[in-house]
Amino acid sequence: MRVLITGAAGLIGGALRGALTGHELCGLDVRTVDGFDSAVGDISDMGAIRPAFEGVDAVVHLAASPSSSAPWESVIGNNIVGTYNVFEAARQAGVGRVVFASSNHVTGMYERDEPYASIVAGRYEGLEPGGYATIDHRVPIRPDGYYGVSKQYGESLGRYYFEEHGMEFACLRIGSVNRRDSPLVGVRAFATWCSHRDLAQLVQRSLDAEALGFEIFYGVSGNRWRFWDIERARERVGYSPKDDAERYRGS
Amino acid sequence: MRVLITGAAGLIGGALRGALTGHELCGLDVRTVDGFDSAVGDISDMGAIRPAFEGVDAVVHLAASPSSSAPWESVIGNNIVGTYNVFEAARQAGVGRVVFASSNHVTGMYERDEPYASIVAGRYEGLEPGGYATIDHRVPIRPDGYYGVSKQYGESLGRYYFEEHGMEFACLRIGSVNRRDSPLVGVRAFATWCSHRDLAQLVQRSLDAEALGFEIFYGVSGNRWRFWDIERARERVGYSPKDDAERYRGS
């Protein structure tokens, strides 16, 4: 397949460009990407990006204001209008499948409740890893900011495009991905870290699964203290994370 | 309480203006409203509408592109940007409660599945009224258009404003409301009709309930063939519909 990565110049775009296999990759970003077949355009401008979708079979949609605390003024153009433009350009080009970078911030407010509040603060006393309910694709959404609202809107728009137009979607509620590719950036990451290779595996399997339909998966490594569900991704696309933040503890 | 009705000049605005009691009502609309204390402003323009929120205790947010088949270009300004502007202006003015006109179209795609597909087509053979699962606030969302996506986004944004800012919300997934106030507009309405007085009761009780929190209620009359839940609204705010479309059958 020819796979278009929006936001190809970004952090996750960089991690995926070097990791996805078996497909012809191309990109779209507001910046050029050295040594990579990538168009330049802003997703908030439909006319500017539409040509990049010609001949594309699948889209990995990463382009967005990436901060969970992004202000409304940034989110409306980049994440809300931009995601419509990407899905609609994909539909017009006959794209059959979209892997959409949603976010754990769609359900971020659960971290104000126990036991998640303790876990993200590193207070494990009296808790057993896995001895609590995981947050999965079926729980009521509880976005923790405009960014989370915008990502949930993208899931909702994807659901409509799936049911109305038959485009398949994997909406990935991605956890903590960072440039160092390490959970040693803060205590929360021992629960929420997603390594580059685990995320690449989840994207790869979402692209390659024979029948996908519409799915919402959490993108998180196999961390000892994770509280997001990975069973759904395991069942539907065979996701099998290789990393566990716990191995870094004390290192 | 001083209650601001956005979209006061519209169909539902008109039905509520004459029915809500016990509060000082005022309005906001792009049109003037004869004989009613109503400001003129477009909700897609934050600066134009902010003054209307001064001194307001609660908001009934109806203003929107009202068609379930509204194109994206109409939905983005009126429903997506506009709803942000209304919630944010309300927050800045210290408004404590919002009744938001969401829509049954947030879950409209269920009507492609049985038994709902048969019911909306008036094919009742082999079905018992109430002998099937009702669609409630907990089911996965399945919007049937950009309009439904925009209304679900409003629910999501409301959820964030509730958890972050303590503003209470009743999101009403309103059924079929029409100017004739009759279900005799098409066979689907025997299931989906919401009479003006039942809707007014639901809005009134959502405004008056002592503690509301964040709630999603379906706004539908007590129709024999309804397939949307009203138990949640009954439990939380005492909603007790007076009308049933079935009484109109054959009339």
Side-chain angles (χ1 to χ4, degrees):
Chain A
M1 294 194 296
R2 183 167 170 85
V3 177
L4 173 68
I5 302 173
T6 73
L11 170 61
I12 293 175
L16 295 182
R17 276 186 277 125
L20 296 179
T21 60
H23 302 292
E24 179 192 341
L25 303 181
C26 58
L28 170 66
D29 204 295
V30 289
R31 291 171 287 171
T32 56
V33 187
D34 280 352
F36 187 67
D37 171 18
S38 191
V40 174
D42 187 323
I43 60 165
S44 66
D45 179 355
M46 175 68 111
I49 67 167
R50 197 150 35 181
F53 290 78
E54 295 281 320
V56 166
D57 302 294
V59 170
V60 178
H61 176 39
L62 309 174
S65 284
S67 167
S68 64
S69 58
W72 167 258
E73 291 71 20
S74 166
V75 157
I76 180 67
N78 295 321
N79 298 14
I80 291 184
V81 174
T83 293
Y84 163 77
N85 286 343
V86 167
F87 292 179
E88 177 61 14
R91 182 193 70 78
Q92 291 179 14
V95 166
R97 185 170 294 187
V98 176
V99 177
F100 168 54
S102 182
S103 170
N104 71 87
H105 292 281
V106 167
T107 51
M109 284 293 186
Y110 285 90
E111 294 179 31
R112 294 193 179 178
D113 298 343
E114 294 299 344
Y116 316 112
S118 288
I119 293 170
V120 297
R123 297 187 306 263
Y124 307 118
E125 315 84 55
L127 294 175
E128 281 283 323
Y132 39 80
T134 54
I135 296 165
D136 69 11
H137 59 290
R138 291 168 305 194
V139 303
I141 59 109
R142 293 177 60 187
D144 60 7
Y146 297 126
Y147 174 83
V149 169
S150 76
K151 290 298 185 179
Q152 198 274 328
Y153 147 90
E155 294 180 0
S156 178
L157 190 65
R159 178 88 210 180
Y160 167 60
Y161 272 74
F162 166 64
E163 297 214 44
E164 186 65 22
H165 303 298
M167 288 164 61
E168 296 187 300
F169 276 81
C171 301
L172 309 185
R173 292 182 179 169
I174 300 171
S176 303
V177 176
N178 60 67
R179 212 162 284 277
R180 287 167 57 193
D181 200 15
S182 159
L184 300 176
V185 291
V187 68
R188 176 177 180 267
F190 283 98
T192 63
W193 183 51
C194 187
S195 72
H196 291 193
R197 67 176 177 169
D198 283 341
L199 181 58
Q201 184 203 128
L202 182 57
V203 172
Q204 180 86 50
R205 294 189 180 197
S206 296
L207 287 170
D208 295 348
E210 197 160 337
L212 180 65
F214 176 88
E215 293 290 339
I216 294 171
F217 302 138
Y218 281 86
V220 62
S221 285
N223 307 323
R224 179 177 171 84
W225 288 103
R226 72 176 168 75
F227 47 79
W228 297 321
D229 171 72
I230 56 174
E231 288 310 307
R232 182 75 180 177
R234 194 193 305 274
E235 282 167 26
R236 294 291 297 117
V237 300
Y239 176 55
S240 176
K242 301 298 174 221
D243 290 307
D244 177 350
E246 210 61 22
R247 289 188 210 122
Y248 289 70
R249 194 166 319 250
S251 70
Chain B
M1 293 196 297
R2 184 167 168 85
V3 177
L4 174 69
I5 302 173
T6 73
L11 170 61
I12 292 175
L16 295 182
R17 275 186 278 126
L20 295 179
T21 61
H23 302 292
E24 179 192 340
L25 303 181
C26 59
L28 169 67
D29 205 294
V30 290
R31 291 171 288 170
T32 56
V33 186
D34 280 352
F36 187 67
D37 171 18
S38 191
V40 175
D42 187 323
I43 60 166
S44 68
D45 178 355
M46 174 68 110
I49 66 167
R50 199 152 30 182
F53 290 78
E54 294 284 319
V56 166
D57 302 295
V59 170
V60 178
H61 176 39
L62 310 173
S65 284
S67 167
S68 65
S69 58
W72 167 258
E73 291 72 18
S74 166
V75 156
I76 180 67
N78 295 321
N79 298 14
I80 291 183
V81 173
T83 293
Y84 163 77
N85 286 343
V86 167
F87 293 179
E88 177 60 15
R91 182 193 71 77
Q92 291 179 14
V95 167
R97 185 171 294 187
V98 176
V99 177
F100 168 55
S102 182
S103 170
N104 71 86
H105 292 280
V106 166
T107 51
M109 284 294 186
Y110 285 90
E111 294 179 31
R112 293 193 178 177
D113 299 343
E114 294 299 345
Y116 316 113
S118 288
I119 292 170
V120 298
R123 297 187 307 263
Y124 306 119
E125 314 85 56
L127 293 175
E128 280 283 326
Y132 39 80
T134 53
I135 296 166
D136 70 11
H137 59 290
R138 292 167 304 195
V139 304
I141 58 111
R142 293 176 61 186
D144 60 7
Y146 297 126
Y147 173 82
V149 169
S150 77
K151 291 297 185 178
Q152 198 275 327
Y153 148 91
E155 294 180 359
S156 178
L157 190 65
R159 178 89 209 178
Y160 168 59
Y161 272 74
F162 166 64
E163 297 215 43
E164 186 65 22
H165 302 299
M167 289 164 62
E168 296 187 301
F169 276 81
C171 301
L172 310 185
R173 292 181 178 169
I174 299 172
S176 302
V177 176
N178 61 67
R179 212 163 283 279
R180 286 169 55 195
D181 199 16
S182 159
L184 300 176
V185 292
V187 68
R188 177 176 179 267
F190 282 99
T192 63
W193 182 51
C194 187
S195 72
H196 292 192
R197 66 175 178 170
D198 283 341
L199 181 58
Q201 184 203 128
L202 183 57
V203 172
Q204 180 86 51
R205 296 192 179 194
S206 296
L207 287 170
D208 294 348
E210 198 162 337
L212 180 66
F214 176 89
E215 293 290 339
I216 295 170
F217 301 137
Y218 281 86
V220 62
S221 285
N223 307 323
R224 179 176 170 85
W225 288 103
R226 73 177 167 74
F227 47 79
W228 296 321
D229 171 72
I230 57 174
E231 289 309 309
R232 182 75 180 177
R234 194 192 307 272
E235 282 167 25
R236 296 291 296 117
V237 300
Y239 176 56
S240 176
K242 301 299 174 221
D243 291 306
D244 177 350
E246 209 62 21
R247 291 190 207 119
Y248 289 71
R249 196 168 316 252
S251 69

